Amino acid sequence: MDQEAVLAKLQELSIEHETHRHGAVMTCEAQVAALSGVDGICTKNLFLKDKKGRLYIVTAAADTKVDLKVLSARLGTGKGGVRMAPDELITSVLQVPLGSVTPLAACQPGAAGVPLLLDAKLQGQPRIFVHPLDNTATCVLSPAGLEAYLRAAGREPLWVDLEADPVIDRDNPPDLKAIADAAVPLAAEGGDAGAAPAAAPAAPKPAAPAPKKAAPGKAAGSKKGAAAAAAPPAASQRPDDVLRLTDELVATMASTLLGEAAGGVDPDMLRRLRADVATELNALRNAAYASGFSAAKAAAAGYLSRQYA
């Protein structure tokens, strides 16, 4: 589905809504500015992934604090928890442009196994803002209207108190684990970009001749080389620019603010700081992508108008 198909479906279902067109917006602040004078609650939308390849859409009020560490514990995702999903999964699974994650994307064919968690704080609001699969427009509708749209696509709305921090221990299991258990991992869906396809069984190879016994010095050198190859890359060599910058910024902030005491900082606090910094850096990166695309589009239009005027 695309934006026009979503709007047509809302009309077909007789769901009361307004559609406001605007330039591409990558943040809640930009969306609010673009909708100046329009009544409603802005929503922020997170697309998350856990270590098992399960994906989640989280739609929350802009002022709701979503603690990914707490959410991970409540989902029972185990070590590693949830983090922001790679950009390529936004376009391949949700089939929306970057910066356009929306609860309406849960109805896309590729998102059938992706749980949607809706902020319970939104349930009592008369009007909320959501993108109709593209961040160049905003639909204003009621939570009941959103529920009706989701149910028409076979998705039952899940309203969750995203700011709750319940006790989780042997006697109190994760309260959202059933949601995670119902999610379909990428590997099981097969064919989604970013998922590692199952490796085909390798054809048996003929037995190789016994290797010659290496000299002690060479054997030691080989082991050293293998160990070096197996070592994880340093933060400065990590291929993901956001992860690298996150590590550098967190280390710099801890050192600047705490000095020699930085080494004794609670690891949980550092993990939370890393998650917050990564979220902001991803937003800045996506905004840069959108700005570059707009500039290139304008340049191409200008060139063509001069060529064919």
Side-chain angles (χ1 to χ4, degrees), residues 177-195:
K177 190 174 188 301
I179 295 175
D181 290 343
V184 180
L186 285 172
E189 292 174 353
D192 284 325

PDB file of all heavy atoms in Angstrom, residues 177-195:
ATOM      1  N   LYS A 177       5.949 -10.393  27.572  1.00  0.00           N
ATOM      2  CA  LYS A 177       6.647 -11.494  26.884  1.00  0.00           C
ATOM      3  C   LYS A 177       5.765 -12.179  25.836  1.00  0.00           C
ATOM      4  O   LYS A 177       6.254 -12.627  24.801  1.00  0.00           O
ATOM      5  CB  LYS A 177       7.142 -12.521  27.901  1.00  0.00           C
ATOM      6  CG  LYS A 177       8.083 -13.560  27.286  1.00  0.00           C
ATOM      7  CD  LYS A 177       8.664 -14.470  28.350  1.00  0.00           C
ATOM      8  CE  LYS A 177       9.736 -15.375  27.751  1.00  0.00           C
ATOM      9  NZ  LYS A 177       9.240 -16.220  26.666  1.00  0.00           N
ATOM     10  N   ALA A 178       4.464 -12.254  26.097  1.00  0.00           N
ATOM     11  CA  ALA A 178       3.572 -12.895  25.123  1.00  0.00           C
ATOM     12  C   ALA A 178       3.590 -12.170  23.787  1.00  0.00           C
ATOM     13  O   ALA A 178       3.442 -12.791  22.726  1.00  0.00           O
ATOM     14  CB  ALA A 178       2.149 -12.944  25.679  1.00  0.00           C
ATOM     15  N   ILE A 179       3.790 -10.852  23.836  1.00  0.00           N
ATOM     16  CA  ILE A 179       3.860 -10.069  22.597  1.00  0.00           C
ATOM     17  C   ILE A 179       5.121 -10.440  21.822  1.00  0.00           C
ATOM     18  O   ILE A 179       5.085 -10.657  20.609  1.00  0.00           O
ATOM     19  CB  ILE A 179       3.841  -8.566  22.918  1.00  0.00           C
ATOM     20  CG1 ILE A 179       2.502  -8.179  23.548  1.00  0.00           C
ATOM     21  CG2 ILE A 179       4.105  -7.734  21.669  1.00  0.00           C
ATOM     22  CD1 ILE A 179       2.421  -6.738  24.001  1.00  0.00           C
ATOM     23  N   ALA A 180       6.257 -10.525  22.539  1.00  0.00           N
ATOM     24  CA  ALA A 180       7.518 -10.897  21.877  1.00  0.00           C
ATOM     25  C   ALA A 180       7.447 -12.322  21.335  1.00  0.00           C
ATOM     26  O   ALA A 180       7.930 -12.604  20.233  1.00  0.00           O
ATOM     27  CB  ALA A 180       8.681 -10.757  22.854  1.00  0.00           C
ATOM     28  N   ASP A 181       6.833 -13.221  22.089  1.00  0.00           N
ATOM     29  CA  ASP A 181       6.739 -14.617  21.652  1.00  0.00           C
ATOM     30  C   ASP A 181       5.900 -14.759  20.380  1.00  0.00           C
ATOM     31  O   ASP A 181       6.103 -15.689  19.591  1.00  0.00           O
ATOM     32  CB  ASP A 181       6.129 -15.480  22.767  1.00  0.00           C
ATOM     33  CG  ASP A 181       7.068 -15.641  23.953  1.00  0.00           C
ATOM     34  OD1 ASP A 181       8.274 -15.362  23.782  1.00  0.00           O
ATOM     35  OD2 ASP A 181       6.601 -16.035  25.037  1.00  0.00           O
ATOM     36  N   ALA A 182       4.946 -13.831  20.191  1.00  0.00           N
ATOM     37  CA  ALA A 182       4.083 -13.904  19.006  1.00  0.00           C
ATOM     38  C   ALA A 182       4.735 -13.286  17.771  1.00  0.00           C
ATOM     39  O   ALA A 182       4.254 -13.475  16.647  1.00  0.00           O
ATOM     40  CB  ALA A 182       2.754 -13.201  19.288  1.00  0.00           C
ATOM     41  N   ALA A 183       5.832 -12.551  17.966  1.00  0.00           N
ATOM     42  CA  ALA A 183       6.517 -11.921  16.832  1.00  0.00           C
ATOM     43  C   ALA A 183       7.211 -12.977  15.985  1.00  0.00           C
ATOM     44  O   ALA A 183       7.690 -13.990  16.493  1.00  0.00           O
ATOM     45  CB  ALA A 183       7.532 -10.897  17.340  1.00  0.00           C
ATOM     46  N   VAL A 184       7.267 -12.735  14.687  1.00  0.00           N
ATOM     47  CA  VAL A 184       7.906 -13.679  13.760  1.00  0.00           C
ATOM     48  C   VAL A 184       9.308 -13.181  13.434  1.00  0.00           C
ATOM     49  O   VAL A 184       9.461 -12.098  12.865  1.00  0.00           O
ATOM     50  CB  VAL A 184       7.084 -13.809  12.460  1.00  0.00           C
ATOM     51  CG1 VAL A 184       7.765 -14.789  11.507  1.00  0.00           C
ATOM     52  CG2 VAL A 184       5.658 -14.241  12.760  1.00  0.00           C
ATOM     53  N   PRO A 185      10.350 -13.923  13.795  1.00  0.00           N
ATOM     54  CA  PRO A 185      11.722 -13.490  13.491  1.00  0.00           C
ATOM     55  C   PRO A 185      11.949 -13.371  11.990  1.00  0.00           C
ATOM     56  O   PRO A 185      11.313 -14.068  11.196  1.00  0.00           O
ATOM     57  CB  PRO A 185      12.596 -14.597  14.096  1.00  0.00           C
ATOM     58  CG  PRO A 185      11.707 -15.277  15.098  1.00  0.00           C
ATOM     59  CD  PRO A 185      10.321 -15.182  14.552  1.00  0.00           C
ATOM     60  N   LEU A 186      12.851 -12.505  11.616  1.00  0.00           N
ATOM     61  CA  LEU A 186      13.151 -12.293  10.195  1.00  0.00           C
ATOM     62  C   LEU A 186      13.553 -13.580   9.505  1.00  0.00           C
ATOM     63  O   LEU A 186      13.115 -13.867   8.398  1.00  0.00           O
ATOM     64  CB  LEU A 186      14.280 -11.269  10.053  1.00  0.00           C
ATOM     65  CG  LEU A 186      13.911  -9.804  10.304  1.00  0.00           C
ATOM     66  CD1 LEU A 186      15.165  -8.961  10.315  1.00  0.00           C
ATOM     67  CD2 LEU A 186      12.956  -9.314   9.239  1.00  0.00           C
ATOM     68  N   ALA A 187      14.403 -14.379  10.149  1.00  0.00           N
ATOM     69  CA  ALA A 187      14.885 -15.604   9.517  1.00  0.00           C
ATOM     70  C   ALA A 187      13.729 -16.543   9.196  1.00  0.00           C
ATOM     71  O   ALA A 187      13.746 -17.251   8.197  1.00  0.00           O
ATOM     72  CB  ALA A 187      15.899 -16.300  10.405  1.00  0.00           C
ATOM     73  N   ALA A 188      12.695 -16.533  10.033  1.00  0.00           N
ATOM     74  CA  ALA A 188      11.554 -17.420   9.806  1.00  0.00           C
ATOM     75  C   ALA A 188      10.686 -16.920   8.668  1.00  0.00           C
ATOM     76  O   ALA A 188      10.060 -17.682   7.950  1.00  0.00           O
ATOM     77  CB  ALA A 188      10.720 -17.537  11.077  1.00  0.00           C
ATOM     78  N   GLU A 189      10.655 -15.557   8.489  1.00  0.00           N
ATOM     79  CA  GLU A 189       9.837 -15.018   7.407  1.00  0.00           C
ATOM     80  C   GLU A 189      10.497 -15.285   6.067  1.00  0.00           C
ATOM     81  O   GLU A 189       9.852 -15.543   5.080  1.00  0.00           O
ATOM     82  CB  GLU A 189       9.642 -13.517   7.613  1.00  0.00           C
ATOM     83  CG  GLU A 189       8.781 -13.221   8.827  1.00  0.00           C
ATOM     84  CD  GLU A 189       8.716 -11.733   9.097  1.00  0.00           C
ATOM     85  OE1 GLU A 189       9.443 -10.979   8.420  1.00  0.00           O
ATOM     86  OE2 GLU A 189       7.937 -11.316   9.957  1.00  0.00           O
ATOM     87  N   GLY A 190      11.838 -15.142   6.035  1.00  0.00           N
ATOM     88  CA  GLY A 190      12.579 -15.405   4.799  1.00  0.00           C
ATOM     89  C   GLY A 190      12.326 -14.355   3.754  1.00  0.00           C
ATOM     90  O   GLY A 190      11.227 -13.984   3.446  1.00  0.00           O
ATOM     91  N   GLY A 191      13.411 -13.855   3.151  1.00  0.00           N
ATOM     92  CA  GLY A 191      13.260 -12.941   2.038  1.00  0.00           C
ATOM     93  C   GLY A 191      13.281 -11.484   2.422  1.00  0.00           C
ATOM     94  O   GLY A 191      13.319 -10.634   1.559  1.00  0.00           O
ATOM     95  N   ASP A 192      13.229 -11.134   3.703  1.00  0.00           N
ATOM     96  CA  ASP A 192      13.281  -9.737   4.093  1.00  0.00           C
ATOM     97  C   ASP A 192      14.715  -9.261   4.035  1.00  0.00           C
ATOM     98  O   ASP A 192      15.638  -9.946   4.444  1.00  0.00           O
ATOM     99  CB  ASP A 192      12.753  -9.546   5.525  1.00  0.00           C
ATOM    100  CG  ASP A 192      11.245  -9.631   5.574  1.00  0.00           C
ATOM    101  OD1 ASP A 192      10.618  -9.177   4.603  1.00  0.00           O
ATOM    102  OD2 ASP A 192      10.712 -10.140   6.574  1.00  0.00           O
ATOM    103  N   ALA A 193      14.884  -8.004   3.565  1.00  0.00           N
ATOM    104  CA  ALA A 193      16.229  -7.464   3.503  1.00  0.00           C
ATOM    105  C   ALA A 193      16.769  -7.337   4.908  1.00  0.00           C
ATOM    106  O   ALA A 193      16.081  -6.976   5.833  1.00  0.00           O
ATOM    107  CB  ALA A 193      16.215  -6.093   2.829  1.00  0.00           C
ATOM    108  N   GLY A 194      18.047  -7.604   5.076  1.00  0.00           N
ATOM    109  CA  GLY A 194      18.657  -7.493   6.391  1.00  0.00           C
ATOM    110  C   GLY A 194      18.652  -8.802   7.145  1.00  0.00           C
ATOM    111  O   GLY A 194      19.355  -8.951   8.123  1.00  0.00           O
ATOM    112  N   ALA A 195      17.818  -9.750   6.724  1.00  0.00           N
ATOM    113  CA  ALA A 195      17.792 -11.041   7.408  1.00  0.00           C
ATOM    114  C   ALA A 195      18.819 -11.951   6.765  1.00  0.00           C
ATOM    115  O   ALA A 195      18.963 -12.001   5.558  1.00  0.00           O
ATOM    116  CB  ALA A 195      16.403 -11.663   7.304  1.00  0.00           C
TER     117      ALA A 195
END
